[in-house]
Amino acid sequence: MFEIIEKKQLNKTVTLMEVVAPYVAKKVKPGQFIILRVNEKGERIPLTVFDFNREKGTIKIIFQIVGATTKLLNELKKGDKIHDVAGPLGKASNLDGIKKVAVIGGGVGCAIAYPTAKYLHEQNSIVHSIVGFRTKELIILKDQFEKISDRFILTTDDGSEGDKGLVTNSLEKLILAGENYDRVIAIGPLIMMKYVCLLTKKYNIKTIVSMNPIMIDGTGMCGGCRITYDNRICFACVEGPDFDGHLIDFDEAIKRNLMYKDLEKKALEKTCNLLKGDS
Amino acid sequence: MPNMSLEKTYMPVQNPSKRNKNFEEVSLGYNEEQAINEANRCLNCKNKPCSLKCPVKIDIPSFIEKIKEKDYVNAYKIIEKSSSLPAVCGRVCPQETQCESGCVRGIKGQSVAIGRLERFVADWNNENEKEIEKVNNNNIKVAVIGSGPSGLSCAADLAKNGFLVTIFEALHTPGGVLSYGIPEFRLPKKIVEKEIENLKKMGVTIKTNVVVGNSITIEELFKEEGFKAVFIGSGAGLPKFMNIKGESLNGVYSANEFLTRVNLMKAYEKDSQTPIYKAKKVAVVGGGNVAMDAARCAKRLGAEKVYIIYRRSEEEMPARLEEIEHAKEEGIDFKLLTNPVAINGDENFFVKDIECVKMKLSEPDESNRRRPVAIENSNFKIEVDSVIMSIGTSPNPLIKNTTKGLETTSWGGIIINEKTGETSKEFIYAGGDAVTGSATVILAMEAGKKAAKAIIEKLS
């Protein structure tokens, strides 16, 4: 059992938790993830580690309430325990030798993009961050990003804060203005990563994305997380989650992520009713 | 007076049309009268041809003699000398190619039902259990990686000899393939839990959610946690795919994923939070026990039509005879000498049909089975909405990749000294599917026992 020692609501649907998980805290590196199970009957879901404290043996996770499991997770309070936390899983991001980088974060994907940007900043890379949200209320980690970025751009789809428009518009402007990045790192919804990759391919800038497909074990056992990468089947949990975005079949990945859409909707409705009953 | 019936004493089973809708155990086991009746078919041969065919050399005629005397305590003791998981092996061993294939009674008629008798004794013991003796520990720490059959048997033998054993399990529930792979209706999980409880009573510590290689390396187990030896029983967990068109479609599962959702995550139970795609028509590709398990689970989840697609004929099928028979009784449709060439999808990226070719058998290959070859222009489609690939697994490379100097074969199997189970690195042992590639529970168990013996000798 893994105790929650801190819980913070970052916005209406995004929560940060600090959890005691000594094995993970001791070894985790940027880009790696955990699998957790909220309770005894829970499903296993992957979540990327946002931050860690090796001395305290704790990790921080940030999650958005998107389905039944994240909703149940969000019901837990400080002092409660998560039934299972396993990890760290996947390969650590390879961030060596990057001189100038554009880090693109979309929505809750910013929670994964931030530690990467911070790490690069600490390695003396020039970091330009472009973070995008649907609307003002959904903004997270703004101050943190600003602090570690040589250049910081915030976009909202509706223009309620920052630049109105998509992250790809801002990125293209910077590229056209002569910013010569040797790497773009894009983490967010599949559709955002797809369009960032289409753009950077045009300008021939190597682009790394972090894939977060459906998975069960996270150790290569189920094969549920398979994606088509460079025209071959790849298990994202062991070969990823970071991949060269120009070689990913995004259209397939988007369709695969919808496999349980109907079942998930039902499960969420059921959970909502359950929680109603409790309160 | 021996029972000279040519046939095995009937073991009651759940009615096929009822059981293919539930997950309760199919075979109900012998009662005392049936067990004694069957035991009386054993002629107690002096040369014990059955024992010779048993991978762990259980003294079969002797334990059967004890059943005849109604002395089940000693019957169990005899089995226990050679086997750590009798309740499991009695249910899942391929007896027809092992012990029972050596039985003299099988020459004219059916062999003695050794597996059923083993199960009877083990179940009797579980119900009439005495206190487990705790041995004084010798303060020597040994780590076991993986809690499947090889890890459990290795841990048990080490604990019996006073070692302080910690098992590290990557999943949240121990048992390995016994928990995530073999379905409830063939191996009730309470039997696996019982084995694990017994281990804990012997003083074995089980740490779940620890992925050795990632959470901690083998080197750190030695240097930081003070273990004196490590046994790797991490199994063969990586599923294979066929590399044909359409394997990424929604509705295509590896058998590992499908069975894990069903067995470990209990997706068939109403209150399970793990989703599973309940298909109407399912094709399972493969002819092993895992394929039979997947097909029978799919049926139980409500599929109207379930096919087994296998490229050779029934004779070459690696599955246990009993599983093949049970699958047929439950209405699984066997498409033999048939091989998939593509899976086709609909506009929403879900499986629509599986395209196959007819096969014929030619001369035997290296596995001594006749090699299947495709018949030209024999393509045909079977309409399905889910495909489960059950064509084998290979060892997970995680431990190999994180342990310097650990030698493996070209396909990733850990190389060991056959006599001791020791790997290319001193004090590191390995056994089970991590060494052999996917094999059977009993072979893994034997490997765990062998390594335990070697570890005891090495560290004493």
Side-chain angles (χ1 to χ4, degrees):
Chain A
M1 300 280 263
F2 301 81
E3 193 184 343
I4 300 163
I5 58 165
E6 195 61 68
K7 183 183 174 186
K8 212 163 105 187
Q9 206 77 28
L10 298 186
N11 69 33
K12 230 168 36 191
T13 62
V14 177
T15 304
L16 180 149
M17 275 180 182
E18 185 170 5
V19 182
V20 180
Y23 276 109
V24 186
K26 195 174 167 199
K27 304 283 279 191
V28 67
K29 292 185 189 128
Q32 288 189 298
F33 66 95
I34 56 156
I35 295 260
L36 67 76
R37 220 162 59 110
V38 177
N39 56 36
E40 214 180 328
K41 298 265 179 181
E43 71 173 323
R44 295 170 64 95
I45 60 157
L47 281 177
T48 304
V49 176
F50 167 68
D51 199 1
F52 51 85
N53 186 324
R54 301 216 199 275
E55 288 73 46
K56 264 165 81 186
T58 62
I59 56 166
K60 285 181 184 162
I61 49 173
I62 291 182
F63 59 93
Q64 182 167 27
I65 303 159
V66 286
T69 298
T70 40
K71 189 158 178 69
L72 282 172
L73 180 59
N74 195 50
E75 289 302 309
L76 298 182
K77 294 180 286 292
K78 184 178 164 175
D80 287 350
K81 285 177 175 144
I82 299 173
H83 205 281
D84 300 282
V85 174
L89 300 166
K91 285 186 181 160
S93 303
N94 179 7
L95 302 170
D96 296 336
I98 299 174
K99 290 188 189 74
K100 189 169 178 180
V101 61
V103 176
I104 321 287
V108 75
C110 290
I112 314 168
Y114 172 71
T116 302
K118 186 175 153 218
Y119 180 87
L120 285 165
H121 171 72
E122 285 162 0
Q123 305 302 304
N124 296 318
S125 308
I126 298 170
V127 178
H128 289 186
S129 302
I130 306 171
V131 296
F133 301 90
R134 272 193 288 122
T135 184
K136 191 180 166 179
E137 281 73 46
L138 300 178
I139 294 172
I140 56 169
L141 302 171
K142 183 186 160 194
D143 298 343
Q144 287 91 328
F145 264 107
E146 256 186 313
K147 212 185 282 174
I148 51 108
S149 303
D150 296 281
R151 192 155 181 182
F152 175 72
I153 295 171
L154 187 140
T155 70
T156 49
D157 295 2
D158 61 2
S160 51
E161 189 168 333
D163 296 351
K164 182 174 174 16
L166 303 171
V167 287
T168 38
N169 305 130
S170 303
L171 177 63
E172 187 160 31
K173 267 186 219 158
L174 290 175
I175 295 170
L176 290 173
E179 301 284 7
N180 47 340
Y181 301 114
D182 52 355
R183 189 77 52 89
V184 169
I185 296 171
I187 304 167
L190 285 168
I191 192 79
M192 180 206 93
M193 296 195 285
K194 175 187 165 176
Y195 280 97
V196 168
C197 289
L198 285 173
L199 178 74
T200 55
K201 202 165 184 182
K202 200 166 82 182
Y203 295 103
N204 203 20
I205 307 168
K206 187 171 177 171
T207 301
I208 302 299
V209 297
S210 177
M211 301 298 282
N212 187 15
I214 295 166
M215 56 177 78
I216 303 180
D217 61 294
T219 63
M221 197 191 93
C222 79
C225 65
R226 61 196 185 276
I227 55 174
T228 300
Y229 175 76
D230 203 9
N231 295 313
R232 65 180 177 95
I233 286 184
C234 237
F235 293 177
C237 68
V238 283
E239 293 194 54
D242 286 3
F243 289 96
D244 181 337
H246 293 160
L247 301 175
I248 295 256
D249 183 340
F250 277 106
D251 293 334
E252 179 188 286
I254 288 167
K255 288 176 199 149
R256 281 187 66 77
N257 252 21
L258 298 176
M259 174 147 177
Y260 297 106
K261 200 178 72 179
D262 292 345
L263 288 169
E264 276 163 5
K265 219 167 100 186
K266 276 185 207 149
L268 182 60
E269 282 161 12
K270 212 166 90 185
T271 323
C272 293
N273 289 334
L274 274 175
L275 295 174
K276 253 183 243 161
D278 283 348
S279 56
Chain B
M1 186 56 201
N3 169 357
M4 291 313 290
S5 162
L6 292 180
E7 285 176 18
K8 289 177 179 177
T9 307
Y10 175 75
M11 174 168 64
V13 291
Q14 265 200 79
N15 180 303
S17 58
K18 193 179 147 207
R19 74 179 187 235
N20 68 14
K21 293 174 195 70
N22 69 49
F23 277 83
E24 283 150 43
E25 190 166 20
V26 168
S27 305
L28 303 172
Y30 282 155
N31 61 26
E32 188 173 7
E33 188 191 336
Q34 290 160 332
I36 293 170
N37 192 43
E38 184 61 19
N40 280 325
R41 290 185 67 231
C42 174
L43 302 177
N44 197 10
C45 307
K46 284 263 158 1
N47 57 346
K48 305 182 184 188
C50 45
S51 295
L52 294 174
K53 295 268 187 174
C54 169
V56 296
K57 306 286 178 289
I58 294 174
D59 185 352
I60 294 163
S62 301
F63 95 72
I64 295 181
E65 280 306 297
K66 292 295 169 196
I67 299 178
K68 292 179 190 170
E69 296 163 15
K70 296 191 180 183
D71 178 3
Y72 310 123
V73 174
N74 282 307
Y76 186 79
K77 280 191 177 155
I78 292 167
I79 299 175
E80 205 189 14
K81 270 186 208 156
S82 318
S83 169
S84 347
L85 305 164
V88 175
C89 292
R91 287 172 167 81
V92 305
C93 258
Q95 287 97 3
E96 69 270 16
T97 61
Q98 299 178 359
C99 54
E100 293 181 15
S101 74
C103 178
V104 170
R105 297 297 308 263
I107 299 168
K108 193 179 167 209
Q110 291 181 334
S111 63
V112 173
I114 299 167
R116 295 174 187 176
L117 292 174
E118 181 186 24
R119 169 183 166 162
F120 169 78
V121 172
D123 288 355
W124 185 91
N125 180 70
N126 276 345
E127 280 158 31
N128 300 273
E129 179 197 19
K130 62 255 157 265
E131 282 288 293
I132 286 178
E133 297 165 41
K134 220 174 154 181
V135 197
N136 285 340
N137 80 61
N138 60 13
N139 272 323
I140 302 174
K141 285 172 77 180
V142 179
V144 170
I145 304 169
S147 59
S150 72
L152 292 179
S153 64
C154 185
D157 282 10
L158 289 169
K160 279 181 200 160
N161 284 278
F163 287 82
L164 281 177
V165 184
T166 303
I167 302 181
F168 295 94
E169 167 59 45
L171 291 170
H172 57 264
T173 302
V177 74
L178 308 176
S179 291
Y180 75 74
I182 305 175
E184 178 75 21
F185 58 80
R186 197 148 78 81
L187 177 63
K189 298 307 148 219
K190 67 171 201 291
I191 287 170
V192 183
E193 283 157 18
K194 184 92 189 170
E195 297 291 351
I196 287 158
E197 276 315 305
N198 286 346
L199 271 187
K200 287 184 184 163
K201 283 184 196 157
M202 286 184 221
V204 173
T205 305
I206 300 182
K207 289 192 176 180
T208 53
N209 295 313
V210 181
V211 187
V212 174
N214 274 356
S215 310
I216 188 163
T217 62
I218 289 184
E219 206 186 323
E220 288 163 341
L221 287 174
F222 284 110
K223 283 190 180 157
E224 293 175 19
E225 307 231 342
F227 288 99
K228 300 294 176 214
V230 171
F231 174 78
I232 306 169
S234 51
L238 233 52
K240 289 180 186 158
F241 286 89
M242 291 184 78
N243 291 317
I244 57 173
K245 182 186 151 252
E247 279 181 305
S248 293
L249 288 166
N250 290 337
V252 180
Y253 283 113
S254 72
N256 261 6
E257 178 179 1
F258 182 75
L259 290 174
T260 301
R261 283 180 187 271
V262 175
N263 302 323
L264 183 71
M265 308 310 295
K266 306 265 179 278
Y268 61 89
E269 286 179 355
K270 271 203 177 114
D271 56 352
S272 170
Q273 292 158 26
T274 297
I276 193 151
Y277 182 54
K278 287 184 185 166
K280 291 250 159 20
K281 292 174 181 171
V282 181
V284 179
V285 181
N289 288 320
V290 177
M292 300 304 137
D293 287 345
R296 296 167 73 195
C297 282
K299 188 81 190 172
R300 282 163 172 75
L301 286 172
E304 288 154 15
K305 194 79 203 172
V306 180
Y307 304 94
I308 286 276
I309 298 181
Y310 182 55
R311 61 194 180 130
R312 305 181 203 244
S313 68
E314 190 172 322
E315 214 178 299
E316 289 83 19
M317 273 197 165
R320 294 173 79 210
L321 197 62
E322 190 175 279
E323 308 315 324
I324 297 172
E325 280 168 5
H326 281 168
K328 283 184 180 166
E329 286 167 12
E330 290 167 16
I332 310 296
D333 192 345
F334 283 61
K335 298 279 181 201
L336 302 170
L337 289 165
T338 302
N339 202 32
V341 290
I343 305 165
N344 299 307
D346 64 14
E347 63 282 5
N348 295 318
F349 208 68
F350 277 79
V351 173
K352 194 177 70 175
D353 63 61
I354 183 163
E355 193 176 330
C356 303
V357 284
K358 286 272 177 207
M359 309 291 279
K360 62 181 177 201
L361 294 176
S362 68
E363 65 291 347
D365 63 11
E366 66 277 7
S367 71
N368 239 340
R369 291 181 298 177
R370 292 175 69 195
R371 195 168 58 88
V373 287
I375 301 170
E376 262 180 68
N377 299 321
S378 64
N379 293 43
F380 67 104
K381 288 177 180 174
I382 306 171
E383 205 183 286
V384 290
D385 47 4
S386 181
V387 175
I388 300 168
M389 287 293 172
S390 179
I391 54 169
T393 53
S394 53
N396 195 316
L398 183 58
I399 286 176
K400 175 193 82 179
N401 292 345
T402 52
T403 312
K404 263 185 224 142
L406 188 70
E407 283 172 21
T408 57
T409 63
S410 57
W411 47 267
I414 299 171
I415 296 169
I416 55 163
N417 174 333
E418 285 300 326
K419 282 206 182 96
T420 60
E422 196 164 25
T423 65
S424 55
K425 296 200 58 158
E426 205 182 2
F427 300 109
I428 301 180
Y429 296 75
D433 286 5
V435 168
T436 57
S438 34
T440 57
V441 169
I442 186 122
L443 287 172
M445 195 191 81
E446 182 206 11
K449 289 183 79 73
K450 194 169 65 184
K453 192 164 166 260
I455 293 169
I456 293 162
E457 281 167 14
K458 183 121 181 166
L459 298 182
S460 295

